[in-house]
């Protein structure tokens, strides 16, 4: 890949880092996988770019990273000092009144990222109207300055009461601390989340400060290595948890926005795919080496939320709804209490599954698939790796012997268990929310997703499965379909029927002006900027809200109210059009449109001689055709049983299923 200009994306996973190179002119894509480097994730990205783009230029670079997420999950973030209003020191420790597991006698509140001894207070008070009742005593901040110098704090989080209504005191705290503590990042709550709910806002601010130094170190490494490959004036981009992208410079200012950036590429790819194949309702499942991510595309849009939880701690930010469990090709099968468990522990990339020959000895899902003949030991990851079937049989057989099962029976059991876990994960985001999965098509991707897709569909009685082009790198491909997006919000409380429409329009305009200024600074012209408006609604007397779109232009108050009633009916099965409705927050998504080429149909290679392999399906051995996906053109069909191989994944087609190549080269799997 030399002499041309490419749009490049990278999806950093627990086992593999996926890279997609798209020709900036023709739109033709190529995908590659390199083993992840957990000690420094940037190294795998740099290795992949240097190996596969020796002479080409990068016109655009975007990637998803779990560096910040892993810092929180492993509690290896920065040491943070928290500054709050006097007499409100314990808000973060007491937390909310929501008991996570209401009937469990073993439930414990999640451990906060900042403990009481690391929390400092300052005399000041802003009331709920934004009026200053008690002036800030900046001299009290000297205790914080001394603590940072003597106790080794790496960041300071500031969350003062009602600062989202009046930020004057937080700004004064920042100025005082930065003057005396150069080099120590200071996170202010009114910038991270200008929204009510004190505990949630404090939690969000603390998490941003906790992850910030780790994310910044990672981005500094990546930018230093890759910036020389970008044309002058171009910047590296990072995926945001809301499904948009932002520059690396913006990510260093808002590290919290990168926490869930890894999995969202698949959801954005699903949105593009839904429009391309004319199926607006999709269940997107991404099964990689370590995790299984499930998300929904409803009416052509990713299901999203304005809040999330991580390790039981709330985060106030816009996120694409993604349900994640520990289930992947590297998930380890093990014995507990006389039963077989699979996952969440993963062999990762080091040492990896037993079949990788890197020292792993415990059986994994990949080992089980290899034992059952579903993977080609000599043609894995596009031929870049050779799998050791003997080591896989040894690992799976050792576990099977403890239960009196043959190696093949144990392998089938491992596959059945992991499929059941993944099906339950899908039920969590569908049936438990009143959504019937049978009304959706299943889109399966990730390195291991296409191998398990049909079994998942059968468990959920889903009739159609779509395997996208380059499924093993689909999340990375999806990142190339996104635009730059920044979310802006403000608390705006009142009864909807009492609100002045002109005042509401003025508030939306102010948020849009803020978004315009932000995107202008990132190089977007006004003509490249668009907006989406939303408002948070609830019936009077309720606690939680639904976020409803507010169309651009003059605001039709009655129509927006009717939209809330309709959304409530869909969500909960009933509504109360006669009840009073409250609005709580206003939100604006500012979008900067990125130029990208169209999506061409993939090239079709000449047909090679047919092959066959003995493969187990549901415990029964069959003669299955082994086919190259790249050799089938649009309109052609494949009858099962078959193994459909390609560079980034393997699709399993059982005896009673067929596959057809449809628009864009996607595979549509249906039951005969």
């Amino acid at each position: 890949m030399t002499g041309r200009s490419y749009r490049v994306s990278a999806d950093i996973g627990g086992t593999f880092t996926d890279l997609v190179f798209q020709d900036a002119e023709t739109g033709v894509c190529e995908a590659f996988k390199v083993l992840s480097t957990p000690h420094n994730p940037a190294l795998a990205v740099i290795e992949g770019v240097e190996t596969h783009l020796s002479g080409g230029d990068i016109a655009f670079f975007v990637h998803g990273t779990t560096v910040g997420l892993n810092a929180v999950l492993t509690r290896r973030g920065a040491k943070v000092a928290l500054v709050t209003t006097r007499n409100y020191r314990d808000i973060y420790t007491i937390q909310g009144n929501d008991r996570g597991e209401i009937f469990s006698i073993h439930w414990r509140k999640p451990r906060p990222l900042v403990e009481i001894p690391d929390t400092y207070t300052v005399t000041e008070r802003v009331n709920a109207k934004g009026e200053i009742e008690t002036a800030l005593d900046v001299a009290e901040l000297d205790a914080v300055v001394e603590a940072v110098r003597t106790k080794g704090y790496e960041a300071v989080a500031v969350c003062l009461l009602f600062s989202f209504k009046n930020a004057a005191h937080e700004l004064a705290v920042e100025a005082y601390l930065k003057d005396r503590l150069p080099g120590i990042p200071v996170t202010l709550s009114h910038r991270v989340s200008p929204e009510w709910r004190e505990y949630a806002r404090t939690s969000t601010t603390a998490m941003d400060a906790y992850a910030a130094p780790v994310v910044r170190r990672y981005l500094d490494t990546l930018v230093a290595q890759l910036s020389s490959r970008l044309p002058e004036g171009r910047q590296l981009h990072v995926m945001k948890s809301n499904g948009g992208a932002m520059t690396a410079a913006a990510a260093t200012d808002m590290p919290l926005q990168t926490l869930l950036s890894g999995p969202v590429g698949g959801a954005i790819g699903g949105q593009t795919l839904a429009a391309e194949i004319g199926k607006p309702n999709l269940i997107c499942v991404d099964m990689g080496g370590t995790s299984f991510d499930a998300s929904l595309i409803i009416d052509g849009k990713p299901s999203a939320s304005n809040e999330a939880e991580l390790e039981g701690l709330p985060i106030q930010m816009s996120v694409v709804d993604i349900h994640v469990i520990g289930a992947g090709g590297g998930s380890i099968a093990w014995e507990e209490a006389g039963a077989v468990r699979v996952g969440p522990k993963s062999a990762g990339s080091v040492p990896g599954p037993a079949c990788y020959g890197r020292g792993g000895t415990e059986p994994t899902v990949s080992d089980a698939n290899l034992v059952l003949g579903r993977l080609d030991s000599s043609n894995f990851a596009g031929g870049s790796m050779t799998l050791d079937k003997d080591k896989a049989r040894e690992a799976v057989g050792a576990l099977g012997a403890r239960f009196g099962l043959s190696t093949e029976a144990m392998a089938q059991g491992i596959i059945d268990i992991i499929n059941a876990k993944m099906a339950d994960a899908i039920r969590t985001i569908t049936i438990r929310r009143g959504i019937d999965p049978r009304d959706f098509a299943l889109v399966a991707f990730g390195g291991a997703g296409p191998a398990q897709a049909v079994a998942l569909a059968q468990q959920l009685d889903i009739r159609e499965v779509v395997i996208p082009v380059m499924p093993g790198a689909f999340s990375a491909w999806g990142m190339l379909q996104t635009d730059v997006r920044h979310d802006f919000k403000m608390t705006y409380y009142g009864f909807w029927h009492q609100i002045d429409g002109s005042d509401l329009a003025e508030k939306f305009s102010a948020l849009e002006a803020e978004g315009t200024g932000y995107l202008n600074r990132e190089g977007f012209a006004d003509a490249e900027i668009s907006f989406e408006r939303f408002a948070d609604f609830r019936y009077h007397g309720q606690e939680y809200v639904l976020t409803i779109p507010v169309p651009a232009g003059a605001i039709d108050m009655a129509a927006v109210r009717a939209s809330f009633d309709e959304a409530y009916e869909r969500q909960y099965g009933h509504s109360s059009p006669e009840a009073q409705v409250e609005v709580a927050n206003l939100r604006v998504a500012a979008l900067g449109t990125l130029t990208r080429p169209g999506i061409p149909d993939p090239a079709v290679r000449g047909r090679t001689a047919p092959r066959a392999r003995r493969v187990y399906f549901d415990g029964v051995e069959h003669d299955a055709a082994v086919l190259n996906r790249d050799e089938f053109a649009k309109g052609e069909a494949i009858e099962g049983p078959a193994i459909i191989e390609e560079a980034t994944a393997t699709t399993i087609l059982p005896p009673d299923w067929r596959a057809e190549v449809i628009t864009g080269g996607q595979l549509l799997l249906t039951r005969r």
Side-chain angles (χ1 to χ4, degrees), residues 13-16 287-292 324-331 344-349:
T15 304
F16 285 101
M287 184 181 183
T290 304
S291 64
F292 175 84
V324 183
I325 64 170
S331 292
K345 185 180 177 182
S346 173
S349 57

Side-chain angles (χ1 to χ4, degrees), residues 222-544:
L222 195 62
V223 169
Q225 293 288 334
L226 293 182
S227 288
S228 62
R229 303 296 300 270
L230 290 168
E232 187 175 353
R234 299 288 178 87
Q235 299 189 58
L236 274 69
H237 288 75
V238 183
M239 286 296 294
K240 300 178 70 173
S241 303
N242 62 14
M246 61 179 168
T247 63
T252 60
D253 292 335
M254 300 180 290
L256 186 73
Q257 297 290 336
T258 71
L259 278 190
L260 304 176
S261 79
V264 300
I268 301 306
Q271 177 180 346
T272 303
L273 187 64
E276 183 179 4
I277 65 176
K279 296 183 183 297
N281 296 320
L282 303 174
I283 298 172
C284 299
V285 296
D286 179 1
M287 184 181 183
T290 304
S291 64
F292 175 84
D293 310 330
S295 59
L296 297 178
I297 306 296
I298 301 175
D299 294 332
K301 295 283 187 180
S303 176
S305 174
N306 293 313
E307 57 186 5
E309 267 195 6
L310 189 57
E311 293 289 276
L313 300 171
I315 314 171
Q316 290 181 320
M317 68 176 181
S318 297
V319 298
V320 173
D321 278 333
I322 298 176
H323 185 61
V324 183
I325 64 170
S331 292
I332 293 171
W334 49 288
E335 180 183 0
E336 181 186 56
V340 177
R341 311 284 185 187
V342 183
K345 185 180 177 182
S346 173
S349 57
V350 181
C355 61
Y356 281 16
R358 294 173 173 266
T361 58
E362 297 177 285
T364 67
V365 173
S366 290
D367 293 313
N369 272 318
L370 184 59
V371 166
L372 296 175
R374 300 179 175 191
L375 299 179
D376 187 341
S377 59
S378 63
N379 190 33
F380 185 71
S384 62
M385 291 182 66
T386 299
L387 303 181
D388 192 325
K389 191 170 185 177
D390 291 337
K391 281 186 168 56
R393 290 188 62 85
E394 181 181 344
V396 174
L399 181 63
R402 299 211 292 269
F403 293 91
L405 295 174
S406 68
T407 301
E408 288 74 15
M410 186 71 259
Q412 186 64 55
I414 292 171
I415 298 301
D416 291 343
I417 291 169
I418 201 70
N419 286 340
K421 288 184 64 174
M422 294 188 293
D424 280 343
I426 295 172
R427 292 186 184 101
T428 298
I429 64 171
T430 54
I431 294 172
R432 293 185 186 179
R433 299 180 183 178
I435 297 171
D436 190 340
R438 294 174 297 182
D439 296 334
F440 288 68
L442 180 72
V443 179
F445 49 95
Q452 316 295 137
V454 170
L456 281 176
Q458 290 179 157
Q459 288 206 26
L460 298 163
D461 201 19
I462 294 174
R463 296 179 293 276
E464 293 182 329
V465 175
V466 179
I467 309 297
V469 173
M470 297 187 304
F474 184 71
S475 287
W477 179 84
M479 294 175 190
L480 294 175
Q481 314 310 313
T482 191
D483 291 314
V484 170
R485 171 173 171 161
H486 296 294
D487 291 305
F488 301 88
K489 59 187 176 181
M490 65 180 297
T491 292
Y492 184 85
Y493 176 78
F495 287 106
W496 186 246
H497 67 281
Q498 295 177 349
I499 287 176
D500 182 350
S502 60
D503 182 64
L504 185 67
E506 184 179 321
K507 294 296 189 294
F508 272 125
S509 295
L511 291 174
E512 290 174 354
E514 189 177 355
T516 299
Y518 206 100
L519 289 171
N520 285 158
R521 290 191 294 274
E522 291 193 324
F524 288 93
D526 288 354
E528 299 171 316
I529 298 172
S530 61
F531 302 98
E532 295 177 356
R533 297 175 170 184
F534 306 91
D536 293 347
F537 289 95
R538 64 186 184 185
Y539 288 121
H540 178 52
Q542 292 186 331
E543 172 71 4
Y544 295 101

Side-chain angles (χ1 to χ4, degrees), residues 40 86 179 201 269 353 452 540 560:
N40 185 349
R86 182 171 298 282
D179 184 54
R201 185 160 54 90
Q452 316 295 137
H540 178 52
V560 174

Side-chain angles (χ1 to χ4, degrees), residues 68 70-80 113 154 209-214 217:
N70 292 339
V72 176
L73 294 177
T74 60
R75 298 294 174 124
R76 293 179 180 174
K79 185 176 182 180
V80 177
L113 299 174
E154 300 170 87
Y210 188 79
V214 178
R217 282 195 295 269

